Each structure stands twice: as C-alpha cells, then as structure tokens.
Amino acid sequence: MQQQLEGAEPVKVEFDNFEHGFPEGFGPGGWGYLAYAVGLAFAVFQLYVAAFNYLPSQVVRGVHVGFLILLTFGLIGNFTAKTDFGRAVSWIVGGAGFLCGLYQWIFYADLIARDGDPTTTDLAVGTLLAVLIFEGTRRLMGAALPLMCGACLLYWFFGQYLPSPLNHRGYDFDQIVTHLSFGTEGFYGVPIYVSATYIFLFILFGSFLERAGMIQLFTDVSLGLFGRTRGGPAKVAVFASGMMGTISGSGVANVVTVGQFTIPLMIKFGYRRAFAAGVEATASMGGQIMPPVMGAVAFIMAETLGVPYSEIVKAAVIPAILYFASAFWMVHLEAGKHGLVGMKRSEIPSAWKALVARWYLVLPLAALVYMLFEGFTPLYAGSMGLALTVALILGASITLGFSNTVIRYVFWIGLALVVAAVSRKGLEIIPVASVVAGLIVIAAITRGGRATLKACRDSLADSAKSALTVGMACAIVGTIIGMMTQTGVGTIFGSWIIGLGAKSLFLALIMTMLLSILLGTGIPTIPTYIITAALAAPALAKLGVPLIASHMFAFYYGIMADLSPPVALAALAAAPIAKENPDKIGWEAMRIALAGYVIPFIFVYSPALMLQSGDPMQAQLGFYGAVALATFKALVAIALFGIVAIGFLFTRLTLVEIAVAFVAALCLLGDFPFSDTAGFTLSAAVLLWQWRQRARDAVAAA
C-alpha cells in the first residue's frame, strides 16, 4: 500500500501454505532468476494467447497447466527447500509437469485421431499429470481440496460397489484417465479454459492499474469524500475496498493491501480492533462481486452458462451495491452507537484534487466497462484495457523527462492522434500493439522510461505468481467435473434438492447455502462455486429459480464462507494487521456482512433485483417497476438487519425493538400473503418509535 499511517510499518501476513500468495521476490540467487524467467515466459505466452490466439484451445489449456505446475513446484522449492539439491528436485518435478502440458501440443493431431483408444504412453502421461496436479495443489493450498477431489476419484473407481442409487456402472482405468487428462471434461475443462484466457489477463490488468497508482487514487478519493463524516475512517475502508474490488477481484489480496492502511486508521479513531478488521474483511471480500472485473468465478459462470460476460455484470450490479451499502450502513450505526467522529480537515486530501491530478487512470477502467457492455468479449475488452493501461504508464514516464509543459501536452495530443489514426477502422490488436511497441522504444531511451519498463516487466512476472492458486484450483476441480459428467452422480443430489423444493423452495435454498458455506470453509471460492453450481444450481433452476440467480446464489455463499468461522480466511488475513484474534474478527465480519447472507434469498424470490425477468410483481408494475420495488424492499430489509445487528438507530434499541425490527426484515424477505404490508408497517413503527425516543433523550439531556 502506497500510503501508510505515520510511523506504521507494513505488516507481513503469513499462512500455513501459499494459497494467499508467495513471499516477496522469487527465491534465492540463481533459483530466483530462474523462477522470474519462467514467470515472465508464462506471462508472455498468456499475452500472446490473448492478443492473437492462433493455437487450438486444447493446446492453450495444456501449456497453461504445464506452466502452472512448473512454476508451482519451482517457487515452492525455492521458498521451502533447505538445499540446492532440494530446489533442483522441485524444478525437475515441475519440469515433468510442463512436459505433460507440452504433450498436448506436440501430439495434438495424434491425440485427436486416437481419441478413446489411448496408448500406454498416453496413460502414463495422463497418470503423471494427475499425480502432479494433486500434489502441487496440496503443497500450494493444503490438503482440503485434494482430499475432496481424491474422494471423488475413489468414487469414480469403486462407485459400482455402492448400493443403489449411489452406484454407477463402473469404469476402467483407461476410461477414467482419458476422460480426466485428455479432452475437455476433466483437468482441461471449462475452469482451466477460463484460467488460461480471461483470468490471467484480468489479473495482469489489475496489477498494471495498481502499478500506475490506482490504489492511491481510490484511497485519496475515499478519504476526501468520507473522511470527515461520522465514523469516517470505516466508511473510507468500505468505499476504498469496494473501488479496489472493481479491478482486483481478490478478497484476501484486498485485505492485505488496502487493510494495511484502513485497519490501523479505524483503530486510531476509536473502532474496536475486531470490528475494524471485520469491516475490512467484509468490504474486501465484496470485491469478488463488484463489477466490472468481479472475481474469477464470474468468468467461469459466463462460460458455464453460455451467456455474455456483460449479462453476469448487469445481474451482479444491484446486489453488489446493496452489499457495500449494507457494510456502509453498519459502520455508520456502529459509529453512532459509540459516538465516533470523523477525521480533521487537515488530515484528509481533496477528492477533487486527486481526481484532477490522476483522472487519466480511470480511462482504462471506463474503456473496459464500455467494451463489456457493448458486447465485446472479455478477452478483447481486457486486452484493450491492458494496452491502454500500459500506454498510460509508459506515456507518463516519458513525459516526466520533459521540462516544458507545452511539450508534454504536445506529446499526449500526438499520442491521441496516432491512436485515433490506427483505430479509424475499429480497434484491432496489431495496430494497438504497434503503438505500445513504439512507446516501449521511446521509453527505453529516456531516463525515467527505463525504470518504468523494468517495473512493467516485474508486473508481468508477479502476475504469473498471482495466477498460480487460481489456476491450480481450476485444474484440480476438473476431477469433480469429470467424475460428474461421466458417472452422472450430480443427478442424484439434484433430485434430492428438487425433492426438498417440492415441499419448500426455502428449504432447498437453505441446504444449498449450507453446502456452499461448508465447502467454502475448507477450499477457495472458485472450487466452492464450481462444485455447488454443478450439484445444486441446475436443481434450483428446475424449481423455477432463474439460471443466473441460481448460480449467483451458490457464488455468494462461497464468498461468505471466507467470513464465516471457524476458518474465515479473510479474518485470518486481517488478524496480524489488527493484532486481534481471528475468531473474534470472523464473528464481527459475519455481523457486518449480515446483508450478504440475506441478499441471495432476496434475489431468488425477487429476480428483478438482478435485472432478470420472472419477478412476481412484473405483471402488475412492469419490468422496471418490479426492479424499483425489489431494490427498495432490499434496502429496507438490509437497513433493518443492520439495526438488529448493531442494536442502534437513533438511540440504543431495547430487546423488544430488536425483535420487532427482525420480524419486519423477515417479512420483507418472505413470500406469503401481506408479507410486504406487514414488513413495511413494522418498519415504520420501529422508525417512528426510535425517532420519538431520540426526542425524549434530547429533552432529558437538556
């Protein structure tokens, strides 16, 4: 984080594994240079795929997985091995995995020709690939996800011996290995396709925006807008983390970057340590649901559903705003309850001056949003957004060497004219790449430009490191997808959910929620979503829940799992920064994120909240009328849940008032006769009673 409290030092966050990132750098000595070079080669390959994409999809997936295994074993060896021999062994093992990926390229035509009739070499390579993916994931993220996928493998091999209806017809070793390690139903399924295309590109996009100073811009704007308000530091945390989420899509990464500044700031201004860390954890996890980038899951969801990414973004907008509005409301109430004030004017920057000074940083994000909503593919939009970001970074470094302001303006105007000239027939990657290449040449011969080029090169290598956990998770969950597609076991669980839904949709939703949270306590958000969506989302869709809503329902609770004790990974990341117990932070985060637990139920019963048709009120109010009503109900409901969670509105609430507010919120979530009428009536009663109590307290104090 660029901006730190005076006298505060960045806090190192350590985990039992590398799920949330590696230490700084790439390792000691020559081994570090080797890892750096591999990471750079990985990033260049991904940029080539994004820009030109001449290779077959199967080849791209294979090489991508090969790089993932090579860099995973190499970096883990660099950071954990005690001797050079141990590091060499790790790199040799990783190299074997890279060769397994190259096998898909070298023998691409042969593998297609003998599909379903594997050779002994095919089976050996496929088996080795499975072993390396499982072991690499275990070393990278711990045992939970490999054990779960291993259980699926056992079922795949021996499920024919189970009693009906859990059994399947039985599959031979070569059938399983072929399905798992070749084709597009196992390790090389939709998740790894998304990892090999969209995810890496958007990680790189976010990394370059951060390098350009976007975090500093978000922080300064947040401080300027909310720093002086009641409980301002916590509102700054919510707003800054929400804005950061628009480009990063990573919850834990947000905690350990933005949280370095916001958590100590909140503590300094009177917030309890656990509450301050809980605010940052809640706001940071919301980054995965905040458009336009969202988390990697959004890209997987778009590919799985076969819909444009812009449809996922549009569906997510209102619930994401409600999520952050809820967190904002929570900290406002907490500040009122404890009489916390804002910051002094002298302590905060001007939001307007920050925007005037660095407004150009918003251009890549604005261009990305425009292209996504105009129907361009995420791959194209991300490539152009990245190219624009690089052009801004290089252009800014070049102009720093100009002492004359007029020359700077001439340079930027000239650059704009060049871009306009090459784009007169539409944006195409080769002309745009030519402009970027020209800027690289100019930067290479300027004093500040060379340092910027080095920083850009470092961003490429660092992005490769950041992509490892997402990529390995996408690869190993192919085990579950492959098992389900070949055995059809998903229909058993789906039938159970449908059976519950025939009695009560609410029960089916509760079971899906519990499944997602339980899975999410042990494994990352991406595999949690993939598993829950594969098992439960189709069943919910058959019960009348819109398809996007059913998938987003599973997605939300995978995120909430990172806030839910006993694991609460976001709380674990915030704990060393706040110097507080992770369990305490987790419980506070659950309280602050209460709306995140209820918003999915709201958009299931009111699909208009996700801009989906089929809302019960659409026939009476029209589509946009139903959207307005659903949004208003959701706002009132989350306001009531905030009052219940904090125990404060205008004054502290009694137990009776809390009970009435809770019942009112449940009524607004419910779907029974007069539920809305009862909910709004009780809400008005709580509001008026609290207003009256405040007036009485004011008179008594006078």
Side-chain angles (χ1 to χ4, degrees):
M1 185 70 195
Q2 299 292 329
Q3 184 174 349
Q4 295 288 335
L5 287 173
E6 187 176 349
E9 294 293 331
V11 179
K12 296 287 185 181
V13 180
E14 297 181 358
F15 298 93
D16 294 334
N17 50 56
F18 299 105
E19 179 181 341
H20 302 285
F22 288 89
E24 292 293 325
F26 287 81
W31 299 107
Y33 286 111
L34 175 60
Y36 184 91
V38 171
L40 201 58
F42 189 10
V44 170
F45 171 76
Q46 293 299 150
L47 285 177
Y48 170 81
V49 168
F52 304 106
N53 202 23
Y54 295 139
L55 294 173
S57 177
Q58 188 73 13
V59 170
V60 171
R61 301 180 200 201
V63 176
H64 180 75
V65 171
F67 268 119
L68 288 173
I69 296 173
L70 174 61
L71 200 53
T72 294
F73 278 96
L75 280 174
I76 291 174
N78 282 4
F79 287 117
T80 61
K82 304 298 184 184
T83 63
D84 285 343
F85 177 77
R87 296 186 183 99
V89 170
S90 292
W91 279 101
I92 290 170
V93 173
F98 185 70
L99 291 176
C100 289
L102 284 183
Y103 192 82
Q104 296 282 344
W105 192 350
I106 297 170
F107 299 101
Y108 173 69
D110 295 333
L111 289 171
I112 292 176
R114 60 175 179 260
D115 183 33
D117 185 25
T119 65
T120 302
T121 305
D122 292 341
L123 294 178
V125 170
T127 304
L128 177 62
L129 178 68
V131 170
L132 293 177
I133 287 176
F134 270 77
E135 176 60 13
T137 306
R138 184 193 68 80
R139 293 189 184 188
L140 194 64
M141 293 184 282
L145 185 55
L147 284 175
M148 184 177 298
C149 294
C152 291
L153 265 184
L154 289 175
Y155 175 80
W156 204 347
F157 276 106
F158 305 110
Q160 65 268 33
Y161 302 114
L162 293 176
S164 180
L166 298 176
N167 62 332
H168 56 69
R169 68 179 181 83
Y171 300 91
D172 294 332
F173 178 82
D174 61 333
Q175 291 177 294
I176 295 174
V177 171
T178 301
H179 195 78
L180 188 61
S181 299
F182 301 95
T184 57
E185 297 292 339
F187 294 137
Y188 300 122
V190 169
I192 209 65
Y193 164 73
V194 176
S195 174
T197 51
Y198 309 146
I199 294 175
F200 194 100
L201 185 65
F202 278 82
I203 288 174
L204 196 57
F205 176 70
S207 174
F208 271 89
L209 274 181
E210 288 182 36
R211 182 80 64 174
M214 186 62 96
I215 296 179
Q216 189 67 48
L217 175 61
F218 287 156
T219 304
D220 288 347
V221 170
S222 303
L223 282 167
L225 290 176
F226 304 109
R228 296 181 63 201
T229 62
R230 186 170 82 180
K235 294 175 181 177
V236 169
V238 173
F239 190 80
S241 295
M243 295 300 292
M244 182 64 188
T246 63
I247 64 170
S248 77
S250 173
V252 174
N254 283 1
V255 172
V256 298
T257 52
V258 180
Q260 300 276 8
F261 167 68
T262 58
I263 292 175
L265 184 64
M266 284 185 274
I267 294 170
K268 177 183 176 183
F269 278 84
Y271 283 99
R272 291 176 290 111
R273 291 181 178 275
F275 187 88
V279 168
E280 183 55 52
T282 301
S284 292
M285 291 310 298
Q288 296 182 71
I289 58 174
M290 176 56 75
V293 175
M294 304 176 66
V297 169
F299 298 106
I300 297 174
M301 190 185 302
E303 286 296 321
T304 301
L305 298 179
V307 300
Y309 181 71
S310 57
E311 289 298 312
I312 303 296
V313 169
K314 285 188 285 188
V317 166
I318 297 177
I321 292 173
L322 289 173
Y323 178 90
F324 282 98
S326 171
F328 204 86
W329 175 243
M330 292 285 192
V331 300
H332 180 78
L333 293 176
E334 180 78 5
K337 183 177 181 179
H338 296 286
L340 304 179
V341 297
M343 303 167 66
K344 297 177 182 177
R345 180 185 290 273
S346 60
E347 295 177 319
I348 59 176
S350 166
W352 176 250
K353 288 182 179 179
L355 281 172
V356 169
R358 296 190 293 275
W359 61 270
Y360 55 87
L361 293 177
V362 181
L363 289 177
L365 200 58
L368 177 68
V369 173
Y370 172 79
M371 286 187 283
L372 286 175
F373 278 89
E374 281 297 306
F376 292 98
T377 66
L379 200 61
Y380 179 87
S383 299
M384 290 302 172
L386 178 61
L388 183 55
T389 305
V390 173
L392 287 174
I393 293 173
L394 294 176
S397 69
I398 291 169
T399 56
L400 283 176
F402 300 155
S403 57
N404 193 312
T405 304
V406 175
I407 297 177
R408 293 182 183 179
Y409 279 112
V410 169
F411 174 84
W412 284 115
I413 293 170
L415 179 60
L417 290 174
V418 170
V419 173
V422 302
S423 306
R424 63 184 183 276
K425 295 183 180 179
L427 282 173
E428 296 180 6
I429 194 64
I430 292 179
V432 171
S434 301
V435 173
V436 173
L439 289 172
I440 290 174
V441 172
I442 297 172
I445 59 176
T446 60
R447 185 174 54 189
R450 287 190 291 272
T452 302
L453 286 176
K454 181 179 182 299
C456 290
R457 186 188 67 195
D458 291 345
S459 289
L460 287 173
D462 286 336
S463 296
K465 280 174 61 179
S466 301
L468 293 182
T469 52
V470 175
M472 291 298 285
C474 286
I476 197 170
V477 294
T479 307
I480 299 172
I481 295 173
M483 180 272 294
M484 291 180 61
T485 55
Q486 193 165 57
T487 65
V489 70
T491 57
I492 298 173
F493 188 85
S495 299
W496 185 48
I497 292 289
I498 291 172
L500 278 176
K503 300 175 183 177
S504 169
L505 175 60
F506 183 75
L507 282 178
L509 294 174
I510 289 291
M511 291 304 300
T512 305
M513 176 189 75
L514 292 176
L515 172 66
S516 192
I517 290 178
L518 286 172
L519 288 174
T521 56
I523 59 178
T525 305
I526 292 171
T528 296
Y529 159 74
I530 292 170
I531 297 167
T532 308
L535 289 172
L540 293 178
K542 289 182 180 179
L543 293 172
V545 180
L547 200 56
I548 289 180
S550 63
H551 280 254
M552 201 67 77
F553 187 90
F555 178 25
Y556 259 73
Y557 288 112
I559 294 171
M560 291 300 103
D562 279 347
L563 298 174
S564 306
V567 179
L569 295 176
L572 185 66
I577 303 174
K579 297 180 175 62
E580 182 57 277
N581 183 283
D583 286 338
K584 288 183 180 179
I585 296 172
W587 291 115
E588 289 287 352
M590 281 188 71
R591 189 162 67 99
I592 298 163
L594 187 59
Y597 290 88
V598 299
I599 287 173
F601 283 89
I602 298 175
F603 63 60
V604 164
Y605 286 107
S606 300
L609 197 67
M610 300 190 75
L611 304 177
Q612 303 294 302
S613 59
D615 191 280
M617 299 302 295
Q618 187 172 339
Q620 302 175 39
L621 302 175
F623 178 72
Y624 290 105
V627 171
L629 178 62
T631 304
F632 179 70
K633 281 177 58 179
L635 280 170
V636 176
I638 64 175
L640 289 167
F641 278 116
I643 294 168
V644 170
I646 304 299
F648 182 87
L649 181 55
F650 301 126
T651 64
R652 291 176 183 262
L653 273 68
T654 64
L655 288 176
V656 173
E657 290 172 307
I658 290 175
V660 173
F662 185 67
V663 171
L666 291 180
C667 287
L668 291 175
L669 295 182
D671 185 24
F672 53 85
F674 307 110
S675 59
D676 288 354
T677 303
F680 286 126
T681 301
L682 291 173
S683 302
V686 172
L687 179 65
L688 292 173
W689 183 261
Q690 272 284 296
W691 186 276
R692 184 180 177 187
Q693 287 296 107
R694 183 174 70 169
R696 286 181 175 178
D697 291 348
V699 171

